[in-house]
Amino acid sequence: PGRKIDVLPVIGSTNQHLLDKIGQLSSGDACVAEYQYAGRGRRGRQWVSPFGRNLYLSLYWRLEQGPAAAIGLSLVVGIVLAETLHELGATGVKVKWPNDLYLEDKKLAGILVELQGKTGDAAHVIIGIGINLTMENTSTDQIGQQWINLEQSGIRIDRNTLAAAFINHLIDALHLFEKSGLTPFIERWYAFDNYLNREVKLIIGEREVVGVSRGINGQGALLLDQFGEVTPYIGGEISLRGI
Ligand code: BTN
């Protein structure tokens, strides 16, 4: 069956749009919007989504093995987005563990994966990406962190070309992920890892850990090297030490 893409001028959130019609979707169905008035970020944050030429895209996937099999999936999405941008000429785009894209040490894109389904059943997965292609009329105060768009670093990529290439590559990657898990992606992650061998600070709730990032393991955990001892961490947010 052909894949369906809802192209909407305005919506609250493309993720929510797909969540609302989960029963009618098949794997690979997608939604893009020009503007989101309730764009969602991770940890309950908002995703500022002005009109312009940014890409707000969500894709539905039915994961037969159930919700537990989704561990590491957001890393796969980041890898595919970085690879697609690279293929279209955006050099210097990197992945930030666990699920952002960075350019020049500033945030370029965010990924929000939302899951529905009980253990034992297939999981419904909504994969959402927001990427800054241009960001006119938006102040940094509205966003609350250092961000960048492709255009300000001299990279112009056609939005529809990007959306189509990304969807195709993502679907290929999701098939591979279902078959083999994260393992075939580890090397691909290393090729784009913004923090590899750099000293980082990891904040996990109230705790703060400093170490040298050594990439990821097969479960998608961050590997932190502290005086030669490497420990996997499954949660938290990293930043460069001193930032
Ligand atoms: C983050 O970095 O916090 C994740 C941001 C994810 C934003 C995208 S834009 C398309 C999709 N719809 C949403 O409401 N959010 C995601």
Side-chain angles (χ1 to χ4, degrees), residues 11-17 31-33 36 38-49 55-59 99-101 107 109-114 126-131 145:
I11 192 78
S13 149
T14 55
N15 267 30
Q16 189 60 48
H17 178 74
C31 169
V32 289
Q36 300 183 118
R40 284 213 286 269
R42 291 191 309 277
R43 296 164 190 270
R45 289 186 289 234
Q46 66 157 341
W47 186 255
V48 177
S49 311
L55 183 59
Y56 314 117
L57 180 153
S58 300
L59 181 134
N99 36 24
D100 288 330
L101 256 62
K107 183 152 169 169
I111 297 163
L112 175 66
V113 175
E114 297 187 86
I126 308 289
I127 297 165
I129 60 140
I131 164 162
Q145 61 178 312

Side-chain angles (χ1 to χ4, degrees), residues 58-233:
S58 300
L59 181 134
Y60 169 79
W61 197 260
R62 185 185 154 96
L63 204 57
E64 293 301 331
Q65 299 114 309
I71 293 169
L73 188 129
S74 67
L75 282 79
V76 170
V77 179
I79 295 165
V80 171
L81 188 55
E83 288 176 346
T84 306
L85 286 163
H86 187 83
E87 174 189 291
L88 295 175
T91 50
V93 172
K94 303 281 184 183
V95 287
K96 179 192 181 197
W97 182 86
N99 36 24
D100 288 330
L101 256 62
Y102 264 48
L103 179 64
E104 299 169 18
D105 285 330
K106 300 187 189 91
K107 183 152 169 169
L108 175 71
I111 297 163
L112 175 66
V113 175
E114 297 187 86
L115 283 178
Q116 267 190 10
K118 301 190 290 289
T119 318
D121 291 347
H124 302 287
V125 185
I126 308 289
I127 297 165
I129 60 140
I131 164 162
N132 307 330
L133 299 179
T134 66
M135 283 288 259
E136 296 127 27
N137 310 322
T138 308
S139 74
T140 303
D141 310 353
Q142 265 175 281
I143 296 179
Q145 61 178 312
Q146 290 253 49
W147 58 272
I148 193 167
N149 64 64
L150 278 184
E151 205 170 81
Q152 82 193 63
S153 53
I155 303 164
R156 276 183 172 270
I157 290 181
D158 175 68
R159 193 170 59 164
N160 291 334
T161 309
L162 172 61
F166 174 67
I167 289 174
N168 286 325
H169 291 328
L170 183 60
I171 288 173
D172 288 347
L174 288 166
H175 284 297
L176 178 62
F177 179 72
E178 282 187 314
K179 201 170 80 163
S180 315
L182 197 58
T183 312
F185 295 95
I186 294 181
E187 249 178 64
R188 291 163 66 177
W189 174 273
Y190 277 75
F192 289 97
D193 187 347
N194 192 44
Y195 293 88
L196 189 63
N197 299 327
R198 294 170 85 178
E199 192 159 76
V200 299
K201 184 171 77 185
L202 175 70
I203 299 176
I204 321 156
E206 306 278 278
R207 211 150 70 93
E208 204 178 290
V209 194
V210 171
V212 177
S213 166
R214 301 286 187 217
I216 56 166
N217 70 9
Q219 279 71 52
L222 175 76
L223 297 174
L224 262 197
D225 183 339
Q226 294 166 292
F227 308 106
E229 193 181 320
V230 178
T231 314
Y233 288 91

